[in-house]
Amino acid sequence: MKTIRTKGRGAEQTAEILAALERRGGAALDTVLPAVKRIVADVRKQGDRALLRYAAQFDGLAGASSLRVTPTRWPLHGTQSLP
């Protein structure tokens, strides 16, 4: 991660970086959208198996045991156990 200054020295360079990021938004979307659609379709079809595979591929997840869901995220605020 890189810290960029928005005031003082470096502010002009930051404005240029942000403008470049904004300009590439549409082009990048067109490039990745087909892959995103395939991933979403695969997860819909294969469920958790595909989800875990993509989580390992893109996020470095080391298996289902690496997932952590806090009780506040459980249905009904933790009153039901996860399947």
Side-chain angles (χ1 to χ4, degrees):
M1 180 165 63
K2 179 180 179 181
T3 302
I4 55 175
R5 301 189 188 285
T6 57
K7 295 181 181 179
R9 209 171 73 201
E12 186 175 325
Q13 182 183 14
T14 298
E16 292 171 7
I17 292 169
L18 292 175
L21 289 172
E22 289 172 355
R23 284 192 302 271
R24 77 174 194 176
L29 181 61
D30 293 339
T31 303
V32 300
L33 197 54
V36 170
K37 286 182 177 182
R38 281 193 306 274
I39 291 169
V40 170
D42 193 21
V43 171
R44 282 186 179 143
K45 183 178 178 182
Q46 295 187 26
D48 288 348
R49 180 182 309 150
L51 181 65
L52 291 172
R53 188 175 68 247
Y54 289 114
Q57 180 181 349
F58 296 120
D59 299 324
L61 184 73
S65 62
S66 298
L67 290 174
R68 181 175 170 214
V69 180
T70 61
T72 57
R73 294 281 191 178
W74 295 353
L76 302 176
H77 302 287
T79 57
Q80 296 178 350
S81 62
L82 293 173

